[in-house]
Amino acid sequence: MRTVPGVVAVFGLLLGVAACSDEPGAAAPGATTPPASSAGSSPTTRPPATPTPPSAPVEGELPRGGRTIFPKYQLVAYVGLPGSPALGPLDKDLDARAARLEKLSRAYAAGRTPQPVMELITVVAKATPGQDRMYRGRIPDAKIDEYLAAARKHKMLLLLDVQPGRAKILPEVKRLERWLKEPDVGLAFDPEWAVGPNQVPGRVFGRTTGTELDSIASYLSGLVQTHKLPEKVFVFHQLSARIVTGEQALRRHPGVVTIKSVDGIGARADKLETWGKLTQRLPAGVHAGFKLFHTEDTRHGPLMTPAQVLALRPRPELVVYE
């Protein structure tokens, strides 16, 4: 999500705020992990009840109607990890953030219907191994339910973002199947945080392959077909060419809308250079997305405007704010 040096060192602190778990088998589908009790709490004190998500959209449809994403919709996303403002604006006050996102998404319409997206970091890379030595933490199921409830309240899509650390990506994705079977929930993958068995996130760039991305898309396609779902969004983030190798092995899969989000960081000229390199040879059927960083980008000048982003070619059909 961000440049590697110095960022993962912050994750340990952020994970404590977000009440992530790294125990083997923790937060298995269907088993809600309660938040940690505060110091001095009575043993009989019950944690707050998990909000029940509003009903899913009309059966077989997306939150704002229909079964297909493009070319009808323009996607605009906020990223966030609960309680961790350093990782994006979607950290708290979800109703207020949703109102801001709704307004922002209208600035990107340009002939399309705006479809706001909440991208929730559900698995976050860590600088420490944890009990299972996978260098990643998972937020509680109850938090995912809370964000899904907020997304449905505002007719937004929810993307579950995975930074797997040393864990294998496909098992981490399948662990989220309870939510991925829903018509308004998609997936995002941060391969720069997918490291090898002897590597530590933040010390090296992680990476993935087109074959691995294809296996994820194939799995999602199976869910779409089995459960008769509308198209499902699958985003993979990429900040440099070396993050993904053999990208042409990524194929089209029925019911899956695959988007490469170009995550260039820094001055506008640098972001445009990264954009040009990473969108030059998109695999057939892969759509282009573009990420803006509120903190890192503005150290080098003003944040790019919607008009400037929409002037890019190919058109970024997903714009992400972190």
Side-chain angles (χ1 to χ4, degrees):
M1 304 287 284
R2 283 171 155 74
T3 48
V4 170
V7 173
V8 177
V10 181
F11 278 171
L13 173 62
L14 298 182
L15 286 172
V17 175
C20 290
S21 169
D22 54 25
E23 295 183 6
T32 300
T33 304
S37 300
S38 58
S41 296
S42 165
T44 59
T45 301
R46 294 179 179 273
T50 301
T52 301
S55 299
V58 174
E59 186 175 359
E61 291 199 357
L62 296 163
R64 302 192 179 193
R67 294 180 57 83
T68 57
I69 300 289
F70 301 132
K72 178 179 180 179
Y73 291 110
Q74 170 67 45
L75 306 183
V76 182
Y78 272 176
V79 177
L81 177 68
S84 303
L87 295 184
L90 206 63
D91 61 316
K92 62 180 181 179
D93 300 333
L94 298 185
D95 285 337
R97 298 296 197 273
R100 285 169 47 189
L101 178 56
E102 185 73 55
K103 181 179 179 180
L104 177 64
S105 69
R106 290 197 291 268
Y108 281 97
R112 296 191 180 189
T113 301
Q115 175 59 74
V117 179
M118 293 185 173
E119 184 172 335
L120 171 64
I121 302 173
T122 57
V123 180
V124 62
K126 297 175 62 175
T128 54
Q131 292 187 19
D132 62 1
R133 305 197 65 78
M134 288 293 108
Y135 288 83
R136 58 91 178 90
R138 299 163 172 167
I139 69 170
D141 289 4
K143 277 294 176 185
I144 301 177
D145 289 337
E146 178 185 335
Y147 275 68
L148 179 55
R152 285 182 172 169
K153 179 179 178 181
H154 298 281
K155 295 187 176 181
M156 298 183 176
L157 287 172
L158 178 67
L159 291 185
L160 305 182
D161 185 284
V162 178
Q163 303 174 1
R166 287 187 184 178
K168 297 294 185 182
I169 179 60
L170 194 54
E172 289 293 327
V173 170
K174 290 182 176 180
R175 193 187 65 86
L176 300 170
E177 185 170 304
R178 164 184 159 188
W179 296 281
L180 292 172
K181 291 189 296 186
E182 297 293 327
D184 47 352
V185 179
L187 180 74
F189 172 33
D190 279 305
E192 68 264 34
W193 301 113
V195 299
N198 298 312
Q199 296 175 327
V200 176
R203 295 183 185 174
V204 298
F205 279 112
R207 58 188 62 204
T208 189
T209 65
T211 299
E212 187 169 59
L213 294 173
D214 190 71
S215 70
I216 298 169
S218 176
Y219 164 72
L220 294 174
S221 179
L223 292 182
V224 170
Q225 294 176 75
T226 298
H227 300 284
K228 298 180 173 57
L229 302 174
E231 286 187 334
K232 189 165 294 292
V233 174
F234 169 40
V235 176
F236 65 97
H237 292 279
Q238 187 174 358
L239 57 84
S240 74
R242 59 182 170 172
I243 301 296
V244 181
T245 58
E247 190 176 345
Q248 296 304 317
L250 175 56
R251 299 165 295 163
R252 299 176 190 262
H253 289 272
V256 177
V257 175
T258 302
I259 304 171
K260 174 197 278 195
S261 175
V262 176
D263 291 9
I265 297 175
R268 181 183 174 191
D270 295 332
K271 293 177 73 71
L272 296 181
E273 182 180 0
T274 302
W275 171 262
K277 289 178 179 178
L278 296 185
T279 59
Q280 193 171 28
R281 295 184 182 88
L282 289 173
V286 174
H287 301 262
F290 190 70
K291 180 180 276 192
L292 296 162
F293 294 86
H294 282 290
T295 301
E296 288 89 341
D297 289 354
T298 54
R299 289 174 182 154
H300 306 275
L303 202 64
M304 289 178 65
T305 67
Q308 290 170 334
V309 173
L310 287 171
L312 296 173
R313 292 294 177 268
R315 172 177 175 153
E317 296 181 279
L318 164 70
V319 181
V320 182
Y321 283 79
E322 180 178 319

